[in-house]
Protein backbone atom coordinates (compact mmCIF):
# COMPACT_ATOMS: atom_id res chain seq x y z
CA UNK A 1 0.00 0.00 0.00
CA UNK A 2 2.83 2.39 0.85
CA UNK A 3 4.46 1.72 -2.52
CA UNK A 4 1.20 2.61 -4.30
CA UNK A 5 1.06 5.94 -2.47
CA UNK A 6 4.68 6.62 -3.32
CA UNK A 7 4.15 5.83 -7.01
CA UNK A 8 1.05 8.02 -7.11
CA UNK A 9 3.01 10.87 -5.53
CA UNK A 10 5.77 10.47 -8.13
CA UNK A 11 3.25 10.46 -10.97
CA UNK A 12 1.58 13.60 -9.61
CA UNK A 13 4.94 15.31 -9.19
CA UNK A 14 5.93 14.37 -12.73
CA UNK A 15 2.76 15.93 -14.12
CA UNK A 16 3.34 19.10 -12.08
CA UNK A 17 6.95 19.38 -13.29
CA UNK A 18 5.77 18.98 -16.89
CA UNK A 19 3.10 21.65 -16.36
CA UNK A 20 5.60 24.07 -14.81
CA UNK A 21 8.01 23.40 -17.67
CA UNK A 22 5.28 24.26 -20.19
CA UNK A 23 4.42 27.47 -18.30
CA UNK A 24 8.09 28.48 -18.23
CA UNK A 25 8.42 27.77 -21.95
CA UNK A 26 5.44 30.00 -22.76
CA UNK A 27 6.72 32.78 -20.46
CA UNK A 28 10.07 32.71 -22.24
CA UNK A 29 8.32 32.89 -25.64
CA UNK A 30 6.32 35.93 -24.53
CA UNK A 31 9.49 37.56 -23.21
CA UNK A 32 11.32 36.92 -26.50
CA UNK A 33 8.74 39.00 -28.39
CA UNK A 34 8.84 41.84 -25.86
CA UNK A 35 5.85 40.99 -23.67
CA UNK A 36 6.57 41.55 -19.98
CA UNK A 37 6.05 38.44 -17.87
CA UNK A 38 5.27 38.83 -14.18
CA UNK A 39 4.62 35.83 -11.92
CA UNK A 40 1.49 36.21 -9.80
CA UNK A 41 0.48 34.51 -6.59
CA UNK A 42 -2.02 31.71 -7.01
CA UNK A 43 -4.82 30.07 -5.10
CA UNK A 44 -4.21 27.03 -2.89
CA UNK A 45 -6.62 24.09 -2.76
CA UNK A 46 -8.21 25.53 0.40
CA UNK A 47 -8.99 28.81 -1.40
CA UNK A 48 -6.30 30.86 0.30
CA UNK A 49 -3.65 32.89 -1.53
CA UNK A 50 -0.12 31.55 -1.92
CA UNK A 51 1.26 34.79 -0.44
CA UNK A 52 2.21 35.14 3.21
CA UNK A 53 -1.24 36.58 4.03
CA UNK A 54 -2.92 33.33 2.98
CA UNK A 55 -6.65 33.32 3.71
CA UNK A 56 -6.44 36.94 4.94
CA UNK A 57 -5.26 38.22 1.55
CA UNK A 58 -7.57 40.85 0.05
CA UNK A 59 -6.33 40.22 -3.52
CA UNK A 60 -6.10 36.45 -3.80
CA UNK A 61 -4.27 35.44 -6.98
CA UNK A 62 -4.30 39.04 -8.25
CA UNK A 63 -0.91 40.41 -7.22
CA UNK A 64 2.74 39.87 -8.15
CA UNK A 65 5.01 37.51 -6.27
CA UNK A 66 7.45 40.38 -5.75
CA UNK A 67 7.43 44.16 -5.30
CA UNK A 68 8.29 46.12 -8.41
Amino acid sequence: MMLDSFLLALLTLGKEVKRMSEILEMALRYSEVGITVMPLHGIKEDGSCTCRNGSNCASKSKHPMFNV
Side-chain angles (χ1 to χ4, degrees), residues 21-63:
S21 175
E22 291 168 351
I23 290 171
L24 175 60
E25 183 180 336
M26 290 308 300
L28 291 172
R29 285 185 185 180
Y30 282 128
S31 181
E32 286 172 358
V33 296
I35 299 172
T36 302
V37 177
M38 185 180 318
L40 303 177
H41 279 286
I43 299 287
K44 296 179 184 178
E45 286 185 21
D46 65 2
S48 63
C49 188
T50 56
C51 75
R52 66 179 175 206
N53 295 324
S55 60
N56 296 322
C57 179
S59 299
K60 293 178 181 77
S61 189
K62 297 179 183 175
H63 58 96

